[in-house]
Amino acid sequence: MKMDTAAFGGRMKRFASEFLTDKTISQLKKYFITGFSSFGLEYSLLIILTEYVDLWYILSNTIAFLVSFWFNFLLNRYWSFQSKNNFSRQLFLYMTLLLVNLGISNVLMYIITDIFGVVYLISKIMVVSVITMWNFIIYKRMIYR
């Protein structure tokens, strides 16, 4: 199949004009600060629940994921994206994404840890890296628009 380079170039220009604005770059910086803070909270809870409370790492991951949910949602809503739109709609969309991300996170952590033998703390970092990539676009285009 032959690729239409003109159409591709047009799509890339539209993408660049939408995502390379000062506002989007500012949002992206705040999104990463929020994300690192949220990850610190989530990762700390994962360690505490697994190592000190002696829970299975998947259960610890689920609890940590759910606890950090509110921190992440509210900080992204009010600071990163400065959204004033429908709170209920955004919460519903965010919770839907949270459940999808939680399912993917637990499945990938299990595969990476139990099948490939990677320590759960390393598999968590790998999984969060993957999930973070698609979340910004979903947040910007669907949840906090």
Side-chain angles (χ1 to χ4, degrees):
M1 181 187 319
K2 188 174 180 182
M3 186 169 141
D4 183 359
T5 55
F8 179 74
R11 279 191 223 102
M12 290 307 293
K13 283 181 184 177
R14 279 194 306 277
F15 177 82
S17 69
E18 180 178 345
F19 281 100
L20 296 180
T21 65
D22 289 341
K23 180 180 178 183
T24 299
I25 291 169
S26 174
Q27 288 173 332
L28 189 58
K29 288 176 187 174
K30 290 177 180 179
Y31 170 76
F32 278 115
I33 292 169
T34 298
F36 280 117
S37 302
S38 182
F39 177 74
L41 172 65
E42 188 176 330
Y43 200 72
S44 298
L45 287 172
L46 175 65
I47 293 168
I48 290 166
L49 293 170
T50 304
E51 300 298 325
Y52 300 103
V53 180
D54 203 28
L55 295 178
W56 182 41
Y57 73 94
I58 295 294
L59 179 57
S60 297
N61 185 59
T62 301
I63 294 168
F65 211 97
L66 294 173
V67 169
S68 69
F69 159 79
W70 283 106
F71 176 81
N72 198 303
F73 172 73
L74 294 172
L75 207 53
N76 271 318
R77 176 181 161 81
Y78 293 111
W79 186 61
S80 301
F81 296 96
Q82 299 175 346
S83 177
K84 295 178 180 38
N85 293 336
N86 188 327
F87 181 86
S88 299
R89 177 189 167 280
Q90 289 176 343
L91 183 60
F92 173 76
L93 291 172
Y94 193 89
M95 288 177 72
T96 302
L97 179 62
L98 166 94
L99 294 174
V100 169
N101 285 343
L102 178 59
I104 291 169
S105 176
N106 283 341
V107 167
L108 288 177
M109 278 187 70
Y110 180 81
I111 290 169
I112 294 168
T113 301
D114 284 2
I115 295 175
F116 292 111
V118 176
V119 177
Y120 78 95
L121 294 172
I122 302 298
S123 69
K124 176 65 175 179
I125 292 170
M126 294 167 69
V127 169
V128 167
S129 298
V130 171
I131 289 173
T132 299
M133 287 184 232
W134 68 68
N135 278 351
F136 178 77
I137 294 170
I138 292 171
Y139 290 165
K140 180 164 180 62
R141 299 191 109 207
M142 294 177 64
I143 296 176
Y144 299 116
R145 62 183 168 99

